[in-house]
Amino acid sequence: MKVLKIDHLGIAVHSIEEAKKLFQDTLGLKFEGSETVAEQKVTTAFFPVGDSEVELLESTASDGPIAKYLEKRGEGIQHIAFRVENIEEALTELKEKGIKLIDEKPRLGAGGAKIAFLHPKSTHGVLIEISERED
Ligand code: ZN
């Protein structure tokens, strides 16, 4: 498999509106728009930084994965996403190497990316997302 770059850092926040004040107004990053991924019960907002992006994650429901994360650990970095050349190939290879996968098959993430999560038990406690997308 080929990892191309750190695609984005996913940061769980209580409110994107509130967190925008830091990332947009204070740090001066460009707000690229937000998108709700209904299946994941999350609204995401992207702020490009060089070749990577910051992704803010706000829950849309109290039983969603981000709501649960915030409840347990509070706001903070929730996942790191690596851009890969070919996600199907990467998942097959990771599985062969004994990495526990949360997603056996890619699913659709924000911005039309194909994404899959690896289990933190296999990755030193870091929730890793792999993603494949054009651009
Ligand atoms: Zn992500």
Side-chain angles (χ1 to χ4, degrees):
M1 67 183 281
K2 190 166 180 197
V3 175
L4 303 171
K5 64 174 184 173
I6 291 182
D7 190 79
H8 62 269
L9 296 175
I11 301 174
V13 298
H14 292 298
S15 157
I16 285 174
E17 259 334 286
E18 201 49 46
K20 255 170 93 173
K21 290 179 191 162
L22 172 72
F23 291 96
Q24 181 179 252
D25 304 343
T26 307
L27 296 176
L29 304 183
K30 188 175 170 279
F31 171 53
E32 223 186 26
S34 61
E35 182 183 340
T36 296
V37 182
E39 188 208 340
Q40 282 300 299
K41 300 177 180 174
V42 71
T43 298
T44 66
F46 281 95
F47 300 82
V49 185
D51 210 24
S52 300
E53 296 185 74
V54 167
E55 174 188 37
L56 300 182
L57 303 152
E58 177 187 323
S59 190
T60 58
S62 57
D63 62 342
I66 294 303
K68 285 179 192 156
Y69 180 90
L70 287 168
E71 212 172 275
K72 260 199 227 158
R73 305 170 75 167
E75 293 187 309
I77 293 183
Q78 194 257 351
H79 68 271
I80 295 177
F82 292 116
R83 173 90 58 101
V84 297
E85 214 166 51
N86 182 318
I87 194 167
E88 281 87 3
E89 222 174 78
L91 284 172
T92 303
E93 187 178 329
L94 289 165
K95 202 176 173 180
E96 276 168 13
K97 288 179 172 169
I99 301 293
K100 203 172 164 204
L101 306 175
I102 292 175
D103 301 299
E104 298 269 334
K105 287 202 173 89
R107 53 189 164 85
L108 215 55
K114 291 199 272 184
I115 66 166
F117 286 94
L118 316 184
H119 201 287
K121 275 189 180 147
S122 288
T123 54
H124 304 273
V126 179
L127 179 59
I128 292 178
E129 171 188 338
I130 55 173
S131 80
E132 178 191 331
R133 90 176 131 147
E134 310 298 319
D135 87 4

